[in-house]
Structure formats: structure tokens, C-alpha cells
Amino acid sequence: VETEDRIFVHERAINESDSVGSGTRIWAFAHVMKGATVGADCNIGEGCYLEEGCVIGDGVTLKNGVSVWAGVTIGDFAFVGPNAVFTNDRYPRSPRAPVARSRYADESWCEQTRVGEGASIGANATVLCGNSIGRYATVAAAALVTSDVADHALVAGVPATPRGFVCRCGRIMPGDRDTCAACGSVYRRCDGRLEWVGDGQT
Amino acid sequence: VETEDRIFVHERAINESDSVGSGTRIWAFAHVMKGATVGADCNIGEGCYLEEGCVIGDGVTLKNGVSVWAGVTIGDFAFVGPNAVFTNDRYPRSPRAPVARSRYADESWCEQTRVGEGASIGANATVLCGNSIGRYATVAAAALVTSDVADHALVAGVPATPRGFVCRCGRIMPGDRDTCAACGSVYRRCDGRLEWVGDGQT
Amino acid sequence: VETEDRIFVHERAINESDSVGSGTRIWAFAHVMKGATVGADCNIGEGCYLEEGCVIGDGVTLKNGVSVWAGVTIGDFAFVGPNAVFTNDRYPRSPRAPVARSRYADESWCEQTRVGEGASIGANATVLCGNSIGRYATVAAAALVTSDVADHALVAGVPATPRGFVCRCGRIMPGDRDTCAACGSVYRRCDGRLEWVGDGQT
């Protein structure tokens, strides 16, 4: 939690949270609600909405038009692409409908979503609540996540299915390699998963 | 139509309509245009845009980032998820293009969309114009609606296809049941449709 | 480049560019950044964001909620539907992540996207960077563009695939016709492409 003067809030943005970390920037037409938790050194794009109860780590990039609802937790250094959409209600109805009123009488309708450290959610992707995105995974643009995504997995499609693996740096890892050609990170493959061994740059 | 003092308009929202019902709340960066009709007790999320000529019933929930165009009618107690998208032009071109100017000389390009009472449009779903969503139907997240959706139907995918049925309360109705395990509503199955019989809670 | 008084900027919009053409209208909660280039007679919908380095031609219509990033070029008279999403980074990571910092040290991560004259990008469509949309092509609503789109092509789906051809005026061209029933434009078919011959209206 930082003092207001160490964060940047665009004059057309609204910040009502006292839990925004140092160095974080909140751009025009974005709205951080009271009770939203945001780490240090984040970039909150234009038109983003951070609801009371959401938790966002350090160094996160939210591109424009992303709403982060109560129940959504975003790990350090994650990326959320433009207009990507989170949810927190699996069977939504208008809470104002008489037939749904009992369901919204308490908070049990709200399901959790977790985005792991360093993961990327592609542009215009949709993440159904109740699922977790692994560390340094990548959800492709326009994908619909309906199940958990493994660490370093690349998933794509509607619904999203595994298509391969990605390095910490974001590059796709060819199936016959254990070292990233772009950044030199070293991995091992184990039980159908990709595990990071070291950065290989020493 | 209510007096201005019985609705809530966030100081960063804009309301230019004199047809907004009592108890309706309009949140930051939303814009209700002159000539938009909005019922009572609605929740108009951040960044929503309600165009002149749209009609929204009572008790409707619009989550963030929803534009409701002329030609779109939303029934009482419907839910529209975040960044869900409506359309009203089947063959869009920029009206400023010389080759399209004659097409936009009158309003015949504008096709109607109807969302039935109590229906839910999932997060980031897209609804092609000229289609109707039935009462208490559910369009899954990220689905693309290209044809009419029956009452109580659950549709999903791109394009959206029927996947089953949902109760008034939003829960999925298993194919072998006529009573909702969550709320007790009673249905009968008839000609491949699900018909509500009673609320079963008496 | 026009003087400020010949463009319309809504009082809740922000225009920081000195390269906006005459007659262009910028609606509420839209933001045109310094260094964005916008032609004459455009309509920039609510909540749009035009980043430094983007280039937009004359007579373009951007519906609500469209972000146009550096690297995106939009031709004259194009249409971009509501909440359609562009990208400019094929392997996105948060630039704040230590593992990605070297990648974002220069601008080489930024890939180009081109939208041809008179083309239409449907509502909620997603365009992967590095691809070009041909002149007067149509990308269907909710489609994901992952490869180049030919002139006059209609593409749809996730990922988008060719489904036929569209006329300059936006109407679908049946496979057995060379003249548009709606506007009279005349085409020839050649090597699986549709080529405009003349407007046929004389």
C-alpha cells in the first residue's frame, strides 16, 4: 500500500482504492474501486474496471477494456490483452429477477479465477470462472478457457485446447527442443508438462 | 418515465434520456443517449452505451462495456454479460464510403434483435442482428448467436448451437429431469422444448 | 492536419493529436493520443483508443470500444465493428516481467496489421497482428483472423476461413453471379479471386 503521490492516476481515471502499489499507472476512463488490491508497478489500461475484492499482483499489464471482478486473482507479471473478459458467475441471471433473488442473497454464486505468475491472456479471450491459468501459460487471442491451463501451456480455440508450450519469455517452444531459441531458458519435459530448469543465460 | 432525482447517475456517466425508470443506476463512463428507453431498477454497467432507439425493460443487468444499439430490445430481468456485443447491421460498411452511401440513405439497413424476459447473454458473446433470444434462455460466454434461440435453451459455440436447457434460475436442467434441483421449478418437455409449468416452491 | 475547430471532440473525449482530419468526430470517453494519425470525415466511437503511431484513413467508421495500436493501419472508408480487437504483439508478456524485459527493450516486438480500403471488421472480431485484410473484404462478427484476407473475401470462424465474397457495398456475392443484385457492381472471377470491374450503374 502506497501513498497516493507515488502512483499515477490519469485525470480522467478514478481511483478509490487505498491498496495500490507504488509506481502503478491508471489510465484514462479506468476505475479502481475501493477494496480492489493492486500491486506495484502495474499498468492499468484505459477503460479497465477493478472491482472490490479483486487481487492483482506486481508488474501486471492490463491492456484496455479489461474488467477484473471480485473472485479474480492475477499473479505477478501477468499480461491481460485488450478486451479480454473474466467472469465470476457460472449461471448468471439478473440479480433483479424475482426468480434469481434467492441465488444472489449471499456470495456463494461467486467463483474464483486464478491467473498464474507471468501468464498471458490473449486479446479478446474469455476466461470462465472456476478455472486457473498456470504460471507463464499463454491463452491465445479469442480463446475461451473452460478448464484449468497448465504451467507454460499454450491453449487456443473455443473452447480452448492445448496446442503446445511457451517459454517464460512468451515464445512458442517447438516440441523437439528443451532450450528456448529466443532467450536461452532451459526446460525439461515430464509427464506431458514443460518444467523450467534455469535461465541458461549464465 | 421518472424524474431525474429517482435514478442514480454516476458523476462520470452521462444520461441524456428522459425515459429512464425509477431506481435505475448508471455507472461511470456509461452513456445513455437521448431517445434510449430504459426501465426501472436496471443496472447499467461502466462503459455501457445505450443508443437512441434501443429499448430496455425493467430489472435488467448490463455488465460493463455493453453497447445497445437502435433496433435492440431487451426484455425485463435479462442479464447481459461483460463486453457482450450486439449488432444491427448485417452487411456493415462505413456509411462514409461512397459505394455504401445509398444503403445508408434510409434506416432499412437496421435489423431488429430481441432478448426475451429473464434471458442471459454470456460474457463476450456476440449476437447477430435479426435474431431473437427466448425467455430465460442462456447464451454461453463467447458464443456467436446466428439464429433464433428457443425459450430456456442453452446455446454455446461459434456459431452457437443448442447444448441443453436452463431453468429460470439459471441452472442447467439435466435431460432426465423435469424439476430444477436448485430452485424447484417444474417443467415439461414437449416437442424438443422445455416449458415452465410452475415454481414448485409452494 | 486540420485546426481543432473543424473537428468535433465530445466534451468527455480526449484529443491530443494534431493530425486529425477535417470533419472527424470523436465521441465520449474516446482518446486520441498524441502521434495518432486520423484522416478526414471519420467517426471515432465511444471508448475508442487511438495509440501513438496508428494510422487511420479518411471516412473510417470505428464503432464503440475499439483500440487501434501502434502498428495498425486502417485504409480509407473501412468499418470496424463494436469491440473488435486489434493486436500488435504476437507473443505478449507483461513488459514489466524480468524475463521479458529484453524483448521489450526495442520496438521489434511490434508487428504490423493493415486493413484495406473499404473493408469491414465485424463486431467483436479479433485480428492477429502481422496480417492484412484486403480491400472491401469482410471479417464476420466474432471471427479470429490468423492469416491474410483477400480483397472482397468474406471470412468467418475461429480461426477465420474463407466463406465466399462480398461486394463493395457489403452484400454477399452468390457464387454464380458476377453482378451485385443490390448495387449493380460488376466483377470477374479469376484464379479464385473476385475482381471489381466497374460500378455498372451508368
Side-chain angles (χ1 to χ4, degrees):
Chain A
V1 180
E2 299 294 327
T3 56
E4 183 78 15
D5 61 342
R6 297 177 66 190
I7 67 174
F8 168 78
V9 181
H10 191 282
E11 63 178 0
R12 301 283 184 106
I14 309 171
N15 176 37
E16 302 180 279
S17 171
D18 55 7
S19 297
V20 176
S22 176
T24 286
R25 295 176 292 173
I26 300 168
W27 294 100
F29 314 123
H31 191 175
V32 180
M33 301 293 284
K34 183 173 164 64
T37 302
V38 184
D41 194 28
C42 292
N43 201 65
I44 309 301
E46 300 221 355
C48 286
Y49 174 81
L50 277 54
E51 194 172 54
E52 179 182 355
C54 78
V55 178
I56 294 175
D58 295 333
V60 170
T61 298
L62 302 185
K63 299 295 282 184
N64 296 355
V66 176
S67 289
V68 186
W69 311 107
V72 178
T73 302
I74 299 181
D76 296 343
F77 306 118
F79 171 93
V80 184
N83 286 23
V85 179
F86 292 103
T87 61
N88 64 4
D89 187 354
R90 191 177 291 256
Y91 308 107
R93 287 296 190 216
S94 177
R96 290 147 193 88
V99 293
R101 221 163 258 167
S102 66
R103 184 152 177 264
Y104 295 102
D106 62 32
E107 301 293 314
S108 61
W109 58 268
C110 182
E111 295 188 40
Q112 307 295 308
T113 300
R114 290 180 177 278
V115 177
E117 177 187 312
S120 298
I121 311 294
N124 214 7
T126 309
V127 181
L128 286 195
C129 56
N131 298 304
S132 293
I133 314 293
R135 290 161 49 99
Y136 297 99
T138 291
V139 174
L144 170 66
V145 174
T146 61
S147 58
D148 288 348
V149 175
D151 291 354
H152 289 285
L154 169 66
V155 301
V158 178
T161 54
R163 306 296 172 100
F165 292 102
V166 286
C167 179
R168 290 184 150 212
C169 77
R171 296 292 178 151
I172 292 170
M173 290 290 295
D176 58 352
R177 292 191 59 126
D178 290 329
T179 302
C180 176
C183 78
S185 288
V186 179
Y187 295 86
R188 66 176 170 200
R189 291 167 195 269
C190 178
D191 293 339
R193 290 176 290 114
L194 191 74
E195 292 182 352
W196 181 71
V197 175
D199 66 12
Q201 295 176 320
T202 56
Chain B
V1 178
E2 298 295 325
T3 57
E4 183 78 15
D5 61 340
R6 298 177 64 187
I7 67 175
F8 169 77
V9 181
H10 191 283
E11 64 179 359
R12 301 283 183 106
I14 309 171
N15 177 36
E16 302 180 280
S17 171
D18 55 8
S19 297
V20 177
S22 177
T24 286
R25 296 176 292 174
I26 301 168
W27 295 100
F29 313 124
H31 191 175
V32 180
M33 302 293 283
K34 182 175 166 61
T37 301
V38 184
D41 193 29
C42 292
N43 201 64
I44 309 302
E46 300 221 354
C48 287
Y49 174 80
L50 277 54
E51 194 172 53
E52 179 183 354
C54 77
V55 178
I56 293 175
D58 294 334
V60 170
T61 298
L62 302 186
K63 300 294 284 184
N64 296 354
V66 176
S67 289
V68 185
W69 312 106
V72 178
T73 302
I74 299 181
D76 295 343
F77 305 118
F79 170 93
V80 184
N83 286 23
V85 179
F86 292 102
T87 61
N88 64 4
D89 188 354
R90 192 176 291 255
Y91 309 106
R93 288 298 191 212
S94 178
R96 291 148 192 86
V99 292
R101 221 163 259 167
S102 65
R103 187 155 174 263
Y104 294 102
D106 61 32
E107 300 294 314
S108 60
W109 57 269
C110 182
E111 295 189 39
Q112 306 295 308
T113 299
R114 290 180 178 277
V115 178
E117 177 188 312
S120 298
I121 311 295
N124 214 8
T126 309
V127 181
L128 285 195
C129 56
N131 298 304
S132 293
I133 314 292
R135 290 160 50 100
Y136 296 100
T138 291
V139 174
L144 170 66
V145 174
T146 61
S147 56
D148 288 347
V149 175
D151 292 353
H152 289 284
L154 169 66
V155 301
V158 179
T161 53
R163 305 297 171 100
F165 292 102
V166 286
C167 179
R168 289 184 151 212
C169 77
R171 297 291 178 152
I172 293 171
M173 290 290 296
D176 58 352
R177 292 191 57 125
D178 291 328
T179 302
C180 176
C183 78
S185 287
V186 180
Y187 296 86
R188 65 178 172 200
R189 292 169 194 269
C190 177
D191 293 339
R193 291 175 288 116
L194 192 73
E195 292 182 352
W196 181 71
V197 175
D199 66 14
Q201 294 176 321
T202 57
Chain C
V1 179
E2 298 294 327
T3 57
E4 184 79 16
D5 61 341
R6 296 178 64 189
I7 67 175
F8 168 77
V9 181
H10 191 282
E11 64 179 358
R12 301 283 183 103
I14 309 171
N15 177 36
E16 302 181 279
S17 172
D18 55 6
S19 297
V20 177
S22 176
T24 285
R25 295 177 292 173
I26 300 169
W27 295 101
F29 313 124
H31 191 175
V32 180
M33 303 292 285
K34 184 174 164 63
T37 301
V38 183
D41 194 28
C42 290
N43 202 64
I44 309 302
E46 300 221 354
C48 287
Y49 174 80
L50 277 54
E51 194 172 55
E52 179 182 354
C54 78
V55 178
I56 293 174
D58 295 333
V60 170
T61 298
L62 302 185
K63 298 296 282 185
N64 295 355
V66 175
S67 289
V68 186
W69 312 106
V72 178
T73 302
I74 298 181
D76 297 342
F77 306 117
F79 170 93
V80 184
N83 286 22
V85 179
F86 292 102
T87 62
N88 64 4
D89 187 354
R90 192 176 291 255
Y91 308 107
R93 288 296 192 214
S94 179
R96 291 146 193 89
V99 293
R101 220 163 260 166
S102 66
R103 184 152 177 266
Y104 295 101
D106 61 33
E107 300 293 315
S108 61
W109 57 269
C110 183
E111 296 189 39
Q112 307 295 308
T113 298
R114 289 179 179 278
V115 177
E117 178 188 311
S120 297
I121 311 294
N124 215 9
T126 309
V127 181
L128 286 195
C129 58
N131 297 305
S132 293
I133 315 292
R135 290 160 49 101
Y136 297 99
T138 291
V139 174
L144 170 66
V145 174
T146 62
S147 58
D148 289 347
V149 175
D151 292 353
H152 290 284
L154 169 66
V155 301
V158 179
T161 53
R163 306 296 172 100
F165 292 102
V166 286
C167 178
R168 290 184 149 210
C169 76
R171 298 287 177 155
I172 293 171
M173 290 291 295
D176 58 351
R177 291 189 60 125
D178 290 329
T179 302
C180 176
C183 79
S185 287
V186 179
Y187 296 88
R188 65 178 172 200
R189 292 168 194 270
C190 176
D191 294 339
R193 292 174 288 113
L194 191 73
E195 293 182 351
W196 180 72
V197 175
D199 65 14
Q201 295 175 319
T202 56

